[in-house]
Amino acid sequence: MQHTVRTRSIGIVLMVVLVAAFVQSARFDWALSRERDAGAATEQTFNSIELGISHLRGAQAGYLATGQNPTTWFTRASEYATRIEADLGRLRVGSQTPLARPDYDAAIAALSGLNELDGRARDYIRTDQRFLASDLVFMDSVAVVDKLTTAVRAARTDESNASRARFNETLLFRAGAVLVGLAAAIGLVLIVARSRPRAAAARPPATMAEMLKSLPPPVKPPPPTVVATAPVALLTSSAILLEAAELCADLARLSDGRDVPALVERAAKVLDAKGMVLWMADPGGTVLKPSVSHGYSDTVLNRLGPLLIDSDNVTSLAFRSMRPQSMTSAVPGNSSALAVPLVTSNGCVGVLAAEIKQNRSSSELMPIAKIIAAQFAALMAPSEVTAQRTAQA
């Protein structure tokens, strides 16, 4: 009798252990899911910060573009800087990684320094000291931007490593809970086997192998899922900005139209484009014709143009809407396209169209393409085009 009571007590304890182990395993599953979601949200915020830095630098370069309204670019740059600061602050407050705190502080300090230089550049532009403003935007700010991006990348690496460590640690605890539950289940089977009536003792006792066969297969812990942490390259690096600045300076000094093809070729290299075409509108404003191109043969150009203004393509749409357009190929490995209108004070006079290589996203290069298009638009004699259209009307 005492043996039976003792056996039942042990069985109850093992049952409690089994239930507790599987409840704990479910809690670990929830913790793994939460860690995975938090890691993905952190990665998305870092992507937003790096994209914001790219757009901020593009807006600052727009201060100096000929034919652009600096006030519009001032507003955009302020919006990007505010968004970056808010993202960094949110990441710092919610971070569970003490090692990343100094990186966040360094990034916030670098952003503050960049905002200070930006304010000085705006003051120079307002007083028509564009040369001094250019030095601040394209020279003095480069080192500060490098500090900012380095600190952001370091914080991203620290957060990713800490998240991976927490994920793997939770996996180990979960595997331990499953093993404890499995051991409790085996113990219950042994207790039940020993507590059978003596009348059944004539049957040979079940072997351990037979008992294990009657158990459900052990639950294998899922392999660790690590959130991808491949660094995202800055959309507009310091080198591209410097190349774009030099190109814009040469366009501003252009005095001979025979130099335009060489500048178009340089613009294609800055955008890493397979080909580029400057489309000009006819006096009637109904047809776009290729004016200068790079990367295409005459046969290809004859097949491409002329384009009707109301045609269903990104180039014509950019001219009609006077807004930049882009198109990504649905076939992997094919190029994407972007088209930026050549807008002057008298309206749109043409379109800069480029075929972008597959390894570059058109959205990454759009800020630089806008700056280059603004410089080319200043060369297209908008007053003559307008006069021709008026006379024909």
Side-chain angles (χ1 to χ4, degrees):
M1 184 66 178
Q2 293 180 352
H3 175 72
T4 302
V5 172
R6 181 181 178 183
T7 301
R8 289 180 179 178
S9 300
I10 295 175
I12 292 173
V13 171
L14 288 178
M15 179 64 71
V16 172
V17 172
L18 176 62
V19 173
F22 280 98
V23 169
Q24 191 64 28
S25 176
R27 293 182 59 189
F28 285 137
D29 285 339
W30 176 79
L32 290 172
S33 178
R34 184 180 60 179
E35 185 66 41
R36 188 183 298 110
D37 294 341
T42 300
E43 282 295 306
Q44 185 176 2
T45 304
F46 276 116
N47 289 340
S48 176
I49 290 174
E50 294 192 352
L51 182 61
I53 295 173
S54 160
H55 289 327
L56 173 60
R57 293 296 286 160
Q60 289 177 334
Y63 298 170
L64 305 170
T66 303
Q68 296 291 309
N69 183 3
T71 303
T72 301
W73 292 108
F74 290 166
T75 302
R76 294 184 182 180
S78 298
E79 291 175 354
Y80 294 136
T82 301
R83 191 179 307 165
I84 294 170
E85 184 177 8
D87 287 340
L88 286 174
R90 185 168 61 255
L91 286 175
R92 188 184 185 282
V93 171
S95 176
Q96 303 180 34
T97 309
L99 188 62
R101 294 293 177 87
D103 298 326
Y104 289 126
D105 293 338
I108 293 173
L111 180 60
S112 177
L114 182 61
N115 288 335
E116 180 181 355
L117 292 175
D118 182 73
R120 291 169 55 192
R122 296 185 187 188
D123 292 338
Y124 284 138
I125 291 175
R126 293 188 184 101
T127 57
D128 202 22
Q129 301 182 68
R130 302 178 71 85
F131 182 77
L132 295 177
S134 177
D135 284 344
L136 286 175
V137 172
F138 295 118
M139 300 299 296
D140 298 349
S141 297
V142 171
V144 181
V145 172
D146 288 341
K147 290 181 180 179
L148 174 59
T149 55
T150 299
V152 170
R153 289 178 179 177
R156 185 176 195 163
T157 300
D158 292 338
E159 292 286 6
S160 174
N161 292 339
S163 177
R164 188 186 304 113
R166 290 191 297 268
F167 193 93
N168 292 337
E169 182 180 5
T170 305
L171 276 179
L172 290 177
F173 283 124
R174 181 183 181 278
V178 172
L179 291 176
V180 169
L182 182 60
I186 294 175
L188 285 174
V189 172
L190 292 175
I191 291 174
V192 171
R194 291 181 180 179
S195 61
R196 289 179 181 178
R198 290 177 177 265
R203 295 177 56 188
T207 63
M208 179 62 71
E210 292 174 346
M211 286 187 290
L212 290 176
K213 287 181 181 179
S214 64
L215 294 176
V219 179
K220 295 183 179 179
T225 302
V226 181
V227 178
T229 59
V232 178
L234 281 180
L235 305 181
T236 308
S237 64
S238 300
I240 295 179
L241 283 172
L242 290 176
E243 291 177 3
E246 293 175 358
L247 174 62
C248 291
D250 291 341
L251 283 169
R253 294 194 297 264
L254 182 66
S255 60
D256 191 341
R258 290 175 296 181
D259 295 332
V260 173
L263 294 174
V264 171
E265 180 180 356
R266 285 177 56 188
K269 291 181 180 179
V270 171
L271 297 176
D272 196 19
K274 297 172 61 177
M276 179 177 291
V277 180
L278 286 180
W279 297 86
M280 298 304 302
D282 68 334
T286 59
V287 176
L288 291 172
K289 297 180 180 181
S291 174
V292 184
S293 67
H294 169 72
Y296 300 112
S297 64
D298 293 338
T299 302
V300 174
L301 290 176
N302 291 333
R303 189 169 64 250
L304 290 176
L307 301 175
L308 295 177
I309 297 300
D310 56 357
S311 296
D312 186 15
N313 58 74
V314 290
T315 304
S316 299
L317 180 58
F319 183 88
R320 294 197 306 270
S321 64
M322 296 179 63
R323 296 179 63 86
Q325 305 293 332
S326 63
M327 180 180 68
T328 302
S329 174
V331 180
N334 287 358
S335 304
S336 58
L338 59 83
V340 183
L342 304 179
V343 181
T344 69
S345 59
N346 293 310
C348 187
V349 298
V351 178
L352 182 149
E355 183 181 0
I356 306 302
K357 297 179 180 178
Q358 183 66 21
N359 60 338
R360 301 300 300 270
S361 171
S362 58
S363 61
E364 299 176 7
L365 301 173
M366 187 61 78
I368 296 298
K370 290 180 182 179
I371 297 171
I372 296 174
Q375 290 292 338
F376 276 113
L379 304 176
M380 298 308 169
S383 59
E384 296 180 7
V385 174
T386 304
Q388 293 176 3
R389 292 181 183 175
T390 304
Q392 186 173 12

